[in-house]
Amino acid sequence: MAQTILLTGSAGFIGSHLLRWILNHSQARVISLDCLSYASNTDTIKDLLEHPRHQFVEGNICDVSLVQQLVDSCDGIMHLAAESHVDRSIKSASPFVQSNVVGTQNLLDAAVRCGRKRFLYVSTDEVYGTLTEEGSFKESDPLAPSSPYSASKAAADLMVNAWHHTYQLPTVVTRCTNNLGTHQHPEKFIPRMILKAIHNQPLPIYGHGNHVRDWIDVRDHVRAIWWAYNHAPKGLTLNIGANQEYSNLQIARHILELIPESNAQITHINDRPGHDFRYANDTSRLREISNWKPVYDLKESLKQVIQWYQNHSEWWKPRWNETE
């Protein structure tokens, strides 16, 4: 019999892509849970709401009784729901602690009460802190988060591992680099730059724009998550990345090159507090134990993403603040 998975954060950016991947590439049944905050909406998954193997539930991961009921009905949990925007966390940390820490604890406790069900937690490379120009993060590196957002993710990350060691919960943690793809909220860096360029507005870059990120297509990311959920040894942490490092300034320039009709210009603004210089993951552990590897080139992905935002204004217009 096909397994039933509880997927949290299913109407968000990465969660919606993962939901689509599971329904298109497996026979699993998915119960998806999302609170439909400002950054998630059913428009993103409207074509999947009536899918025979999908049940959507609107609700909060901090709701103890609801979470327990849903965990009782599944064979395993894939936990992606989170507050995720660093700038928002700097302005107000409380929602991040509530969702990312308390919500994760609620799911972990429910999984233990139900007989220690498989639990995959999607973390982030930001829990490691920052790198200099050389080297890459290894799973054994100490966690040194720099922002309220990454601190809340690191706290949840450590809780998942603690529940594995204390309660023998069969957990897997993944830590991925920066994602790009369709249906990403306009507050995020790449959609924001694209929409600014489309509207001939200045592209605001923090500081000198030399902050470096390893970019991965979200479709590659969800393939790795699916493999990890089904095959990774319990208790393992896995880095995910594509080894495609670009500075913020380079990304902005690529976007302008791909929108030649734009008259927008790059402008430099004051850097944000605690801005990490560079992220890069050592993914040798994942590549050694699986046949996964990224298949999407950043420039081609960027071209596809730009075309999607150009053609889907009905999706992003209600979510875009032109003044930000």
Side-chain angles (χ1 to χ4, degrees):
M1 182 179 296
Q3 62 177 323
T4 297
I5 298 167
L6 173 62
L7 171 62
T8 72
S10 59
F13 168 46
I14 299 174
S16 64
H17 280 274
L18 180 56
L19 173 62
R20 197 172 303 280
W21 170 266
I22 295 171
L23 295 176
N24 288 340
H25 295 87
S26 80
Q27 294 302 311
R29 177 173 176 265
V30 181
I31 303 172
S32 72
L33 175 65
D34 200 292
C35 68
L36 301 181
S37 68
Y38 79 95
S40 60
N41 60 87
T42 54
D43 288 347
T44 304
I45 55 171
K46 61 184 178 181
D47 58 318
L48 303 177
L49 294 176
E50 303 300 325
H51 193 287
R53 288 186 284 110
H54 176 222
Q55 175 190 352
F56 176 77
V57 178
E58 181 178 354
N60 196 303
I61 57 173
C62 294
D63 184 332
V64 175
S65 59
L66 173 62
V67 164
Q68 191 64 62
Q69 175 188 344
L70 297 179
V71 172
D72 282 339
S73 304
C74 73
D75 300 303
I77 300 103
M78 303 182 80
H79 177 31
L80 282 74
E83 293 285 341
S84 65
H85 192 45
V86 173
D87 288 359
R88 285 180 181 265
S89 78
I90 293 171
K91 293 177 182 177
S92 177
S94 294
F96 290 76
V97 173
Q98 187 67 21
S99 179
N100 299 355
V101 181
V102 177
T104 299
Q105 180 209 336
N106 189 28
L107 284 157
L108 289 166
D109 287 343
V112 170
R113 287 193 293 265
C114 286
R116 298 190 294 274
K117 295 184 177 181
R118 180 76 161 177
F119 193 105
L120 180 136
Y121 173 63
V122 174
S123 186
T124 170
D125 61 349
E126 294 188 46
V127 300
Y128 293 116
T130 189
L131 289 167
T132 60
E133 294 180 357
E134 301 295 329
S136 55
F137 296 127
K138 294 179 172 58
E139 291 91 346
S140 58
D141 287 346
L143 305 190
S146 304
S147 70
Y149 158 65
S150 57
S152 69
K153 291 293 287 185
D157 195 316
L158 293 172
M159 288 168 57
V160 172
N161 284 314
W163 263 245
H164 168 67
H165 289 288
T166 302
Y167 304 106
Q168 293 77 53
L169 190 67
T171 62
V172 178
V173 173
T174 61
R175 298 172 182 157
C176 191
T177 55
N178 284 48
N179 282 227
L180 76 154
T182 66
H183 298 92
Q184 190 172 27
H185 194 278
E187 71 183 1
K188 298 293 189 175
F189 179 68
I190 284 181
R192 188 183 185 202
M193 297 299 105
I194 291 172
L195 296 179
K196 293 287 188 182
I198 289 174
H199 290 84
N200 297 307
Q201 296 180 359
L203 276 61
I205 302 294
Y206 283 128
H208 297 292
N210 58 355
H211 301 89
V212 175
R213 302 292 182 260
D214 173 19
W215 290 94
I216 186 172
D217 190 295
V218 67
R219 293 169 292 184
D220 281 329
H221 184 193
V222 299
R223 285 193 302 109
I225 293 172
W226 182 241
W227 184 91
Y229 174 79
N230 286 284
H231 303 293
K234 61 185 180 180
L236 201 66
T237 295
L238 289 170
N239 282 344
I240 302 171
N243 193 28
Q244 299 186 104
E245 292 187 40
Y246 292 85
S247 71
N248 290 345
L249 188 58
Q250 287 176 311
I251 292 291
R253 287 172 174 168
H254 285 321
I255 289 171
L256 290 177
E257 290 171 2
L258 292 168
I259 311 177
E261 66 275 17
S262 175
N263 295 318
Q265 300 291 321
I266 293 170
T267 184
H268 295 269
I269 61 176
N270 291 335
D271 206 355
R272 74 182 181 206
H275 198 174
D276 291 332
F277 170 64
R278 175 172 167 261
Y279 302 140
N281 273 349
D282 180 337
T283 61
S284 56
R285 175 182 289 180
L286 174 62
R287 296 179 188 235
E288 287 170 3
I289 65 174
S290 76
N291 59 4
W292 177 89
K293 63 180 180 179
V295 298
Y296 292 100
D297 173 74
L298 179 128
K299 291 185 180 180
E300 183 58 35
S301 295
L302 200 54
K303 184 186 302 183
Q304 294 174 7
V305 171
I306 288 171
Q307 290 172 348
W308 187 88
Y309 280 94
Q310 288 173 325
N311 296 329
H312 291 84
S313 60
E314 80 287 348
W315 186 88
W316 55 258
K317 273 188 176 179
R319 300 164 182 88
W320 185 49
N321 185 340
E322 296 187 37
T323 63
E324 291 185 350

